[in-house]
Amino acid sequence: MIEKMLHTDPDYALTFLRIIAGLIIFPYGMQKLFGWFGGPGIDGTLKDLDSRRIPRSIAWLIILGQSFGSIALVAGFLGRIAAGGLFIIFTGALIVHLPDGWAMNWFGEKNGEGIEYHVMLLSLLLIAIVRGCGAMSIDLWLTS
């Protein structure tokens, strides 16, 4: 079972897409966990998610999932699991942003951001879930 979960082809396109997805998500996780990149840190994130009526247990899963899931993607370690968890988190984010329409808020004319970004990120994560981490990944090294 674990071998199927770790199996990946030594494909550099998968490597590139996996690392890009991890790098895109990394700042979001660090904002929530440490307050880096102008983020609120754990306390601020918990307060924000409380105000949205998201249970504490789910809030912690979001914080930890984005923080450590992004690092796991960049390293290619348990990539399918990390991408699966992040896929769930960003599907929730897409649902939250759905009322804001398709396009991002480039000119500050809307109350929030659209979903085009989330669709792109979910597409990258889906590739990692289906195809694995690719070359230069711990998953490939473990199954070689």
Side-chain angles (χ1 to χ4, degrees):
M1 175 72 173
I2 192 72
E3 275 193 40
K4 283 188 176 186
M5 190 69 72
L6 296 176
H7 176 74
T8 187
D9 297 321
D11 184 339
Y12 284 94
L14 297 175
T15 304
F16 176 76
L17 296 174
R18 163 185 54 88
I19 291 173
I20 292 299
L23 290 175
I24 288 170
I25 298 167
F26 180 76
Y28 291 111
M30 296 303 109
Q31 285 178 325
K32 290 172 179 64
L33 187 64
F34 296 123
W36 296 354
F37 306 105
I42 292 173
D43 290 336
T45 300
L46 291 174
K47 287 177 188 169
D48 177 50
L49 295 175
D50 279 345
S51 72
R52 298 171 191 249
R53 297 194 324 213
I54 295 174
R56 273 283 159 113
S57 57
I58 301 298
W60 275 104
L61 288 174
I62 291 169
I63 292 168
L64 296 174
Q66 284 185 356
S67 301
F68 296 108
S70 64
I71 294 168
L73 275 181
V74 171
F77 180 62
L78 301 175
R80 282 189 166 101
I81 295 168
L86 290 165
F87 190 91
I88 293 167
I89 291 169
F90 280 94
T91 298
L94 182 141
I95 292 167
V96 167
H97 289 276
L98 201 54
D100 298 319
W102 174 258
M104 292 179 69
N105 192 7
W106 292 105
F107 304 108
E109 298 169 352
K110 300 188 298 184
N111 289 332
E113 299 291 342
I115 62 167
E116 65 181 335
Y117 165 82
H118 299 92
V119 170
M120 181 273 307
L121 186 56
L122 289 169
S123 300
L124 294 176
L125 293 170
L126 186 60
I127 291 168
I129 292 167
V130 172
R131 298 285 312 276
C133 288
M136 297 174 24
S137 67
I138 294 173
D139 288 357
L140 181 64
W141 177 74
L142 288 172
T143 57
S144 296

